[in-house]
């Protein structure tokens, strides 16, 4: 994913999985049409998922918001299994609380609810699996 800026800007980036950060000068980018295309593609990708997370933040119930964030994460970092989509990164309740704006205690309660509804499973390795077919909720308006 591309993060562009001038040399006097500072970014703090938190990754969910091991990541590598590459740095290119403006001259290198200008001289490589392939690199320009990759950066443009990365920015479009980042914008798409930023929009999805922003949309999820406006869902009326905490359960919908949490499930939608899990679905988006499944699209980003999920691995398809026979049962559903396994999130390839172990997420804590505190992390999910941070991503959704829901208290940690409520996240724990809602995760239990999703397990009871058979929409979610937490494996022995503590990875979440979204069961069956999971698609983003169909909402056109906030």
């Amino acid at each position: 994913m591309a993060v562009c800026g001038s040399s006097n800007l500072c970014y703090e980036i938190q990754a969910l999985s091991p990541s590598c950060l590459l740095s290119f000068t403006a001259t290198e980018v200008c001289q490589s049409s392939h690199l320009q295309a990759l950066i443009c593609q990365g920015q479009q990708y980042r914008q798409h998922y930023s929009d999805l997370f922003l949309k999820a933040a406006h869902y009326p119930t905490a359960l919908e918001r949490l499930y939608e964030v899990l679905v988006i994460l499944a699209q980003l970092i999920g691995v398809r299994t026979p049962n559903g989509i396994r999130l390839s990164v172990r997420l804590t309740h505190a992390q999910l609380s941070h991503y959704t704006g829901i208290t940690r205690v409520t996240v724990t309660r809602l995760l239990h609810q999703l397990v009871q509804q058979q929409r979610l499973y937490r494996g022995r390795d503590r990875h979440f699996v979204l069961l069956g077919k999971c698609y983003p909720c169909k909402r056109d308006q906030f």
Side-chain angles (χ1 to χ4, degrees), residues 12 35 39 51 109 115 135:
E12 179 179 332
L35 188 54
I39 289 171
D51 290 346
R109 183 178 52 80
V115 169
Y135 301 103

Side-chain angles (χ1 to χ4, degrees), residues 3-109:
V3 178
C4 298
S6 63
S7 59
N8 61 348
L9 292 177
C10 181
Y11 290 96
E12 179 179 332
I13 299 172
Q14 294 182 355
L16 292 173
S17 60
S19 302
C20 180
L21 183 64
L22 301 175
S23 178
F24 299 99
T25 65
T27 304
E28 291 172 315
V29 173
C30 288
Q31 292 175 350
S32 171
S33 60
H34 179 68
L35 188 54
Q36 290 173 17
L38 287 175
I39 289 171
C40 183
Q41 195 175 40
Q43 287 177 323
Q44 289 172 342
Y45 179 81
R46 190 175 83 192
Q47 182 64 49
H48 172 73
Y49 283 99
S50 294
D51 290 346
L52 289 178
F53 279 115
L54 183 60
K55 185 177 178 182
H58 290 85
Y59 280 21
T61 69
L63 183 65
E64 286 180 313
R65 192 174 335 142
L66 175 61
Y67 185 72
E68 188 68 12
V69 166
L70 289 171
V71 169
I72 295 166
L73 290 172
Q75 291 174 357
L76 280 167
I77 59 172
V79 177
R80 189 160 297 283
T81 68
N83 295 331
I85 300 176
R86 178 182 179 269
L87 298 182
S88 59
V89 173
R90 284 188 292 190
L91 297 168
T92 65
H93 295 198
Q95 287 172 313
L96 288 172
S97 171
H98 177 73
Y99 302 146
T100 59
I102 302 169
T103 66
R104 187 195 54 76
V105 173
T106 302
V107 164
T108 300
R109 183 178 52 80

Side-chain angles (χ1 to χ4, degrees), residues 67 80-86 114-122 128-135:
Y67 185 72
R80 189 160 297 283
T81 68
N83 295 331
I85 300 176
R86 178 182 179 269
L114 288 170
V115 169
Q116 285 180 329
Q117 294 173 358
Q118 297 182 341
R119 295 167 72 188
L120 182 71
Y121 170 76
R122 190 163 188 179
F128 291 111
V129 177
L130 278 75
L131 300 173
K133 295 180 181 177
C134 57
Y135 301 103

